Amino acid sequence: MIKITFRTSLLVLLVAVHSCSFTPQKHVGTWEGTDHKGAPIGITFYNNDAVKITQDGKTVVDSRNRLRDADGAILNLQYEILYDESPALLYFIIYKNRKKADEFRFAIDFLSDNEITLTKVNDEYDEMMLELGEKVPIYASLKRVNK
């Protein structure tokens, strides 16, 4: 008969809670490559859901800085990755005056620890095709340049 002590039970519980609450961080860092048109693109994912996007070596958006639209409304760009989806889903979410205004979805495929592809998921049809394992055109191919 196996005797389970309080200490063993507590340890198992702590490991289970930690495993459930752990968010993978394999995406954090700077990635560079080309978009679907062959233009240079870069994405830096930060630990705090902030993101910086560059195109042709110039910063397009850096959500660590305060952003405003033409009307002066405060904008915020964040990202979220759902690793429990297959493939994983990347959301770029735009908030306007702290209210969700828009989002852009991409399937993110980790080809290795240092290489990813992003596939734009425009609608439910694209999402269904991805779930069925069908190919949807790749939006960007990126390689890690630093962590």
Side-chain angles (χ1 to χ4, degrees):
M1 177 187 250
I2 298 174
K3 182 178 180 183
I4 299 177
T5 65
F6 176 74
R7 177 183 272 170
T8 304
S9 299
L10 184 59
L11 180 62
V12 169
L13 179 63
L14 288 174
V15 168
V17 168
H18 177 72
S19 297
C20 293
S21 65
F22 176 72
T23 302
Q25 296 293 311
K26 64 184 177 180
H27 61 276
V28 172
T30 299
W31 303 80
E32 293 179 350
T34 55
D35 68 11
H36 61 290
K37 296 179 183 176
I41 188 170
I43 302 175
T44 301
F45 296 105
Y46 299 99
N47 281 324
N48 59 355
D49 301 330
V51 63
K52 178 172 127 180
I53 301 173
T54 60
Q55 203 163 24
D56 293 322
K58 298 177 184 169
T59 299
V60 176
V61 65
D62 187 340
S63 65
R64 297 173 302 165
N65 300 325
R66 177 166 279 181
L67 307 170
R68 292 191 181 270
D69 70 3
D71 298 328
I74 297 172
L75 300 176
N76 188 19
L77 173 67
Q78 293 181 339
Y79 75 88
E80 180 180 353
I81 297 180
L82 303 179
Y83 281 102
D84 57 343
E85 298 291 328
S86 182
L89 292 177
L90 164 65
Y91 289 83
F92 288 115
I93 306 164
I94 299 172
Y95 294 91
K96 184 174 182 175
N97 292 328
R98 297 189 177 142
K99 293 181 183 174
K100 186 175 178 179
D102 206 352
E103 70 179 27
F104 301 94
R105 290 185 299 168
F106 293 84
I108 184 168
D109 189 12
F110 289 87
L111 304 176
S112 70
D113 288 344
N114 296 311
E115 189 173 4
I116 60 174
T117 59
L118 299 178
T119 306
K120 184 100 169 81
V121 181
N122 292 315
D123 54 27
E124 292 170 2
Y125 175 77
D126 287 346
E127 194 169 328
M128 179 185 71
M129 296 305 285
L130 284 169
E131 287 174 2
L132 293 173
E134 298 293 325
K135 291 290 182 191
V136 177
I138 292 174
Y139 181 80
S141 296
L142 305 165
K143 292 188 179 196
R144 184 188 301 274
V145 293
N146 70 21
K147 290 186 178 188

